Amino acid sequence: KTNLYVTEGANSSQVPNPVFRIPIVNCVPQPASKTGISISNLGAISYYYNASAVASDSAGNVFIATNVACCAAVSELLEESSAAISGTVLLPNLSAPITSMTIDSSNNIYYVAAGALYELAYKSGAYSSAPVSFGGDITPRLVYPSTALGTCTWRTAGTPK
C-alpha cells in the first residue's frame, strides 16, 4: 500500500495539526481521500501540537517528529503502528526538532536535527535508545516522484554541504 504523508507544520489552522495520509494510486496522489493521523491515533503517549517531519517504513508504520507538545516545549520522535491502534515514543525530549527524516530497508531511521545527521539503529526488532551522530552542516534533501521505467519511485536531489 502506497501513501504520501504530509504535515501542515507550525502554520496549521488546526491545533493540534495532523499528519495527513494521502493514498497514491498509479503514482498519482489522491488528496480527496486523505485521512489525518492525530494524537488520538497514538494513544496516551504524546500530546503533540506540531509535526516537524514524517516518514513511513515498508510495513506501514508511521514515524512522526514533533517540535511542540502540549504543555511543554518538547521535541519527540513517535511511532504509530501500522494497525493505527497504538504508538510508541522512540526519542523523548530531543534537544532540537527533527527537520528531515527517512527510513532504510533495514528500518534504520536517519534524521537531521539542528543541521546534524543522526542514525537511530534498528536491531533485533527494536530501536536503539541512543542515536548516533554523523556530524553537522547537513542540508535536508528535496524529494520528488519519478515514473521512469513505468514504476512509481522516489528520487532525491541535492547533496549534503
Side-chain angles (χ1 to χ4, degrees), residues 5-47:
Y5 295 90
V6 296
T7 178
E8 290 186 352
N11 294 324
S12 173
S13 60
Q14 296 179 310
V15 175
N17 74 347
V19 170
F20 291 107
R21 179 185 292 118
I22 301 172
I24 298 175
V25 178
N26 297 321
C27 295
V28 178
Q30 307 294 312
S33 298
K34 74 180 179 186
T35 56
I37 301 172
S38 67
I39 57 175
S40 62
N41 293 79
L42 297 168
I45 63 159
S46 175
Y47 297 97

Side-chain angles (χ1 to χ4, degrees), residues 66-67 73-77 91-98 111 113-114 116 118 131:
T66 70
N67 63 3
V74 71
S75 297
E76 307 166 305
L77 177 56
L91 296 174
N93 301 315
L94 293 167
S95 60
I98 293 172
Y111 66 89
Y118 295 88

Side-chain angles (χ1 to χ4, degrees), residues 144-156:
Y144 62 94
S146 169
T147 56
L149 304 175
T151 61
C152 186
T153 58
W154 293 90
R155 307 219 185 260
T156 57

Side-chain angles (χ1 to χ4, degrees), residues 5-159:
Y5 295 90
V6 296
T7 178
E8 290 186 352
N11 294 324
S12 173
S13 60
Q14 296 179 310
V15 175
N17 74 347
V19 170
F20 291 107
R21 179 185 292 118
I22 301 172
I24 298 175
V25 178
N26 297 321
C27 295
V28 178
Q30 307 294 312
S33 298
K34 74 180 179 186
T35 56
I37 301 172
S38 67
I39 57 175
S40 62
N41 293 79
L42 297 168
I45 63 159
S46 175
Y47 297 97
Y48 79 86
Y49 270 1
N50 291 329
S52 59
V54 63
S56 65
D57 64 16
S58 61
N61 298 310
V62 179
F63 300 83
I64 301 169
T66 70
N67 63 3
V68 176
C70 175
C71 310
V74 71
S75 297
E76 307 166 305
L77 177 56
L78 312 171
E79 177 185 9
E80 179 197 37
S81 71
S82 59
I85 57 171
S86 65
T88 304
V89 178
L90 297 177
L91 296 174
N93 301 315
L94 293 167
S95 60
I98 293 172
T99 56
S100 182
M101 178 171 43
T102 191
I103 301 167
D104 69 15
S105 60
S106 298
N107 291 331
N108 299 305
I109 299 173
Y110 298 89
Y111 66 89
V112 175
L117 177 64
Y118 295 88
E119 175 190 16
L120 187 62
Y122 185 80
K123 290 184 180 177
S124 303
Y127 283 97
S128 169
S129 61
V132 175
S133 174
F134 290 101
D137 204 17
I138 301 293
T139 301
R141 298 174 141 200
L142 171 66
V143 179
Y144 62 94
S146 169
T147 56
L149 304 175
T151 61
C152 186
T153 58
W154 293 90
R155 307 219 185 260
T156 57
T159 58

